[in-house]
Amino acid sequence: MTIVQPTLWGDLDPGLEERPASPGPAASGARSAPPAPVPARGAFTALRGHTERIVAHSSDRVAWLRARAMGITATDVARLASLRAVEAVVADKRYGSRFSGNAWTEHGKDREPVIAAWVAATHGIEPSAHLFHASTNRAHLATPDGVGYDASQRLVLAEIKTTGKAWRSIPRHYLRQVWWQQYVLGADRTLFVWERHDDFVPVADEPECRWVDRDDEQIRGLVQLADMVLDKLRTFRV
């Protein structure tokens, strides 16, 4: 499988690889067919299969971290609740985040393979540790926890979390993460799975889960904010 390296800060013209070749001259007397539409910047349909847009695998830690640093990920986008958040994300992308993990994140890492196995067994969505880029911008990146297909062979994703709280609804920042992953991979649905724990001991035999549908209106707003981050980062590299 060919590994596609990300272009620095997404300076590849969006949709360039998907534009059709220029048609040759029409035969005499033949009516020329109208040109095929060119994908617009921010188009949300996956124009190439997601497996052709793999950037790195988390097992190659150096390549994975380098690729994530050169683009904007679902983890970054989860923080983009407003224009004010753009500057904070830019600062972390430039200088690195001070957060290096804690007992809660370590618990999540330990439990993720167990929960991912449950997802695969119950919903047929296999674990994934690949970093993908969007079809229209190679600096738009995402690493969903699971990738699979539904009964109609449509692409579906999974996102896994652990929490010490009882959630009435999925926290908004996690929804932003999910929508961004759907945009990057071209998926319409994500199985959001969470396991609640009490002092790091799971409270139930099985995790809870809920399907999250794609929301293109939310995605458009996230793409705009993400591109603001990337534009600001470009100015520092000129």
Side-chain angles (χ1 to χ4, degrees), residues 1-5 54-56:
M1 181 179 294
T2 302
I3 303 299
V4 182
Q5 294 299 327
I54 294 173
V55 178

Side-chain angles (χ1 to χ4, degrees), residues 15 18 39-50 53 133-137 182-188 214 216 219:
E18 290 74 36
R41 180 180 178 89
F44 302 137
T45 301
L47 300 178
R48 290 194 295 154
H50 67 284
R53 293 184 277 110
H133 71 76
S135 62
T136 53
N137 192 322
Q182 291 170 345
Y183 150 64
V184 169
L185 276 87
D188 289 324
R214 183 187 180 100
D216 279 332
I219 288 172

Side-chain angles (χ1 to χ4, degrees), residues 108-124:
K109 291 178 183 178
D110 290 341
R111 292 298 300 168
E112 183 176 322
V114 178
I115 302 171
W118 179 87
V119 171
T122 57
H123 292 81

Side-chain angles (χ1 to χ4, degrees), residues 167-180:
W167 290 341
R168 290 187 175 182
S169 60
I170 300 172
R172 192 72 179 178
H173 59 288
Y174 288 149
L175 286 175
R176 289 193 290 270
Q177 188 175 10
V178 164
W179 289 324
W180 184 260

Side-chain angles (χ1 to χ4, degrees), residues 4 20 33 60-61 73 83 94 121 157 185 208:
V4 182
D60 186 344
R61 189 70 175 171
T73 69
L83 289 172
R94 286 192 70 197
L157 307 178
L185 276 87
E208 300 178 68

Side-chain angles (χ1 to χ4, degrees), residues 13-237:
D13 184 15
L16 181 63
E17 294 172 292
E18 290 74 36
R19 291 177 183 173
S22 299
S28 177
R31 180 177 296 176
S32 299
V38 175
R41 180 180 178 89
F44 302 137
T45 301
L47 300 178
R48 290 194 295 154
H50 67 284
T51 57
E52 298 180 37
R53 293 184 277 110
I54 294 173
V55 178
H57 191 277
S58 63
S59 60
D60 186 344
R61 189 70 175 171
V62 173
W64 189 73
L65 289 174
R66 179 179 180 273
R68 286 173 60 88
M70 295 181 70
I72 186 160
T73 69
T75 302
D76 299 323
V77 170
R79 300 170 56 193
L80 293 178
S82 64
L83 289 172
R84 182 179 299 179
V86 169
E87 295 297 338
V89 173
V90 168
D92 279 355
K93 300 297 287 186
R94 286 192 70 197
Y95 306 114
S97 172
R98 296 179 180 179
F99 180 73
S100 59
N102 53 33
W104 284 267
T105 56
E106 290 304 312
H107 174 76
K109 291 178 183 178
D110 290 341
R111 292 298 300 168
E112 183 176 322
V114 178
I115 302 171
W118 179 87
V119 171
T122 57
H123 292 81
I125 304 174
E126 296 297 327
S128 177
H130 286 109
L131 178 68
F132 299 88
H133 71 76
S135 62
T136 53
N137 192 322
R138 289 185 178 178
H140 293 172
L141 307 169
T143 308
D145 293 328
V147 178
Y149 296 91
D150 64 12
S152 301
Q153 292 302 300
R154 293 174 299 187
L155 185 68
V156 292
L157 307 178
E159 184 62 20
I160 295 169
K161 303 295 181 186
T162 59
T163 178
K165 300 178 180 179
W167 290 341
R168 290 187 175 182
S169 60
I170 300 172
R172 192 72 179 178
H173 59 288
Y174 288 149
L175 286 175
R176 289 193 290 270
Q177 188 175 10
V178 164
W179 289 324
W180 184 260
Q181 291 172 352
Q182 291 170 345
Y183 150 64
V184 169
L185 276 87
D188 289 324
R189 300 185 82 199
T190 297
L191 186 70
F192 187 86
V193 185
W194 69 99
E195 181 184 74
R196 189 162 67 90
H197 61 84
D198 183 7
D199 197 21
F200 306 120
V201 177
V203 300
D205 292 336
E206 293 187 340
E208 300 178 68
C209 62
R210 183 178 301 174
W211 284 103
V212 178
D213 291 326
R214 183 187 180 100
D215 187 327
D216 279 332
E217 182 177 354
Q218 292 292 331
I219 288 172
R220 278 188 286 272
L222 294 175
V223 168
Q224 290 174 354
L225 292 172
D227 283 342
M228 289 179 64
V229 172
L230 294 171
D231 288 343
K232 288 179 178 292
L233 289 170
R234 286 190 192 97
T235 63
F236 296 117
R237 301 188 67 87

